[in-house]
Amino acid sequence: MEPTAGPVLYRQLQLWDPSLESGQEEEEEEEETSELVVPDPRRPQDSSRDEAGGLPGAWARLVAALLLLAVGFSLAVRQLPAGSAAPPPSGHSHHPGVYHHGGVVSPAATCSHLGRELLVAGGNVVDAGVGAALCLAVVHPHATGLGATFWGLFHNSTSGSSTALTPGPARTLAPGLGLPSALPALRLLHAHFGRLPWPRLLVGPASLAQDGFLVDTALAGALAARSTEGLCPLLCHADGTPLGPGARATNPKLAAVLRGAAVAPTPDLAGDALLSLLARDLGLRGPSPGPRPTLEPALQLPMPQGILSTTPSPSAGPELLARVEAALRSGGPSPDPCLLVPRAPVTPGSGVLATIDSSGSVLLLTSSLNSSFGSGHLSPSTGILLSDLVAESTSGGWACPLVLHGGSDDTEADVLGLVASGNPVVARVTTRALLSRLAGPQAQAQQQQQGPTQSPSICGQGTLLQVAAHAEHAHVSSVPSGCCTFQGF
């Protein structure tokens, strides 16, 4: 479901801060409302007058109310242009990507919508983010999945604390095949910070895997860029050609894994059950569980604008903090990271998503298969593509989600979150994006006037997601703007 181009409508709250909207919008809303509720001068004001006319007072009041309703409806109809639908007089509108309660942004419209549904159902940003991540594991197997490695950063606006999700050291399931840790990592995150029951988060992803999902342009492009060897019949037509945009794909084996994970009593058991199936496919004795995903305090850097939080080593978080600190000391502009990136075409095997609520709680998730479709090895018993992120690989050099919060200065956002994917210089890219935001609108406009340049956020290879909480509203966006879908309420 793609976001509409028109404004997003909300019901007006009883306690509404007029400063959140411009004076012009307030005047327009007040004018609309006054025209619809102004009393009709012909309406009887005295029940005794009704009785004098021969009608009981109750019937007279009913007739008067119907007349007033008819007059108000007539006025409202005359205000509407032909073929248009006006917002309710008690509503107010925002630009797309601005929400009063919370928002989700991800590379797949289906998963952004699923995350929004979890928010509407009473879930928090962790529920929405974990549910969307499980959805992406189904519909974007080229970039993420249950065979991927996950890093995450959660900022709790209530406590003011930031927590990092770390996957533990990369381990090998078999030569060239990484040991999956996605299920225990996401379950661990939800067990500590989620609100909805764990099985609720798996209903949507399991249904997509069982009943089918439509191949989007991102998945179709990744399929077209590589051989389908190892991916059939999951992502192929009967003749062996790859599925194109709009084709329907199913993965009933993955649906069974998700349903089993929904009833597993602990994160460890969910991961162990999956490892047993994978070992059977590979003819291996069950691998030892080894190090588990963990939750750790985030690395932090105090700044004049607030506190900067990111993930610890072996992610790229320490490099990010070092670069930000050096840039603040020098006071000079950050060098363009895109000049350092090789221009060879790259199909990144990583995915990102972000969720935020209007209070400033944020969840940023980034995952990787190390390359597009990972190892290309499809487990027949589980429907999972295993990664080629093995011990010799850089296990977290692509991960450095960032949250800036608690600033006393007049910054653009009370809470800011950035997460980038698919880039070999992700720390440099994220640093430049942060410094650009801190520079303010005038500096950003001046930079744009210098002429068209390569976007510093993607370097032609990846995605940058931006979320912020400001003035009791949640803001979500992406660079490039058309790469991802955001939804909220």
Side-chain angles (χ1 to χ4, degrees), residues 336-429:
D336 189 347
C338 298
L339 299 177
L340 307 175
V341 181
R343 297 303 180 188
V346 176
T347 306
S350 61
V352 287
L353 67 89
T355 60
I356 187 168
D357 65 24
S358 57
S359 73
S361 289
V362 180
L363 176 63
L364 308 174
L365 287 174
T366 178
S367 60
S368 178
L369 292 167
N370 195 51
S371 54
S372 185
F373 295 101
S375 65
H377 180 89
L378 179 65
S379 163
S381 294
T382 65
I384 294 173
L385 280 163
L386 297 175
S387 78
D388 54 355
L389 189 68
V390 295
E392 293 78 14
S393 305
T394 303
S395 60
W398 40 268
C400 60
L402 169 158
V403 171
L404 177 64
H405 59 94
S408 58
D409 293 348
D410 185 18
T411 54
E412 181 180 351
D414 302 324
V415 176
L416 171 68
L418 300 173
V419 59
S421 77
N423 203 301
V425 288
V426 62
R428 297 188 185 104
V429 166

Side-chain angles (χ1 to χ4, degrees), residues 123-357:
N124 58 23
V125 295
V126 172
D127 297 315
V130 170
L134 292 167
C135 172
L136 287 172
V138 176
V139 306
H140 273 187
H142 63 293
T144 184
L146 297 191
T149 298
F150 274 82
W151 288 85
L153 184 63
F154 169 59
H155 175 68
N156 187 330
S157 64
T158 302
S159 64
S161 62
S162 296
T163 303
L165 171 67
T166 67
R171 296 181 61 239
T172 302
L173 179 63
L177 302 178
L179 186 70
S181 61
L183 261 182
L186 295 175
R187 179 73 188 273
L188 176 68
L189 184 64
H190 174 268
H192 282 77
F193 302 114
R195 180 184 298 161
L196 296 176
W198 167 250
R200 174 68 177 84
L201 275 58
L202 288 101
V203 171
S207 297
L208 286 169
Q210 183 68 47
D211 302 332
F213 60 92
L214 299 182
V215 174
D216 61 13
T217 54
L219 175 55
L223 284 168
R226 61 152 288 162
S227 165
T228 58
E229 182 180 358
L231 303 181
C232 296
L234 178 64
L235 298 171
C236 304
H237 294 291
D239 60 1
T241 57
L243 298 179
R248 181 171 291 275
T250 60
N251 195 341
K253 296 294 185 180
L254 180 57
V257 169
L258 293 171
R259 289 193 294 266
V263 298
T266 67
D268 291 347
L269 288 179
D272 292 347
L274 175 59
L275 289 182
S276 297
L277 292 173
L278 294 173
R280 186 179 66 188
D281 282 348
L282 296 170
L284 305 172
R285 291 193 302 176
S288 59
R292 302 284 188 180
T294 60
L295 295 172
E296 303 178 14
L299 288 183
Q300 294 190 331
L301 173 67
M303 299 171 54
Q305 298 86 354
I307 299 174
L308 187 65
S309 300
T310 187
T311 47
S313 180
S315 75
E319 179 189 353
L320 169 70
L321 295 189
R323 290 186 175 278
V324 171
E325 193 170 16
L328 293 176
R329 281 199 309 265
S330 67
S334 176
D336 189 347
C338 298
L339 299 177
L340 307 175
V341 181
R343 297 303 180 188
V346 176
T347 306
S350 61
V352 287
L353 67 89
T355 60
I356 187 168
D357 65 24

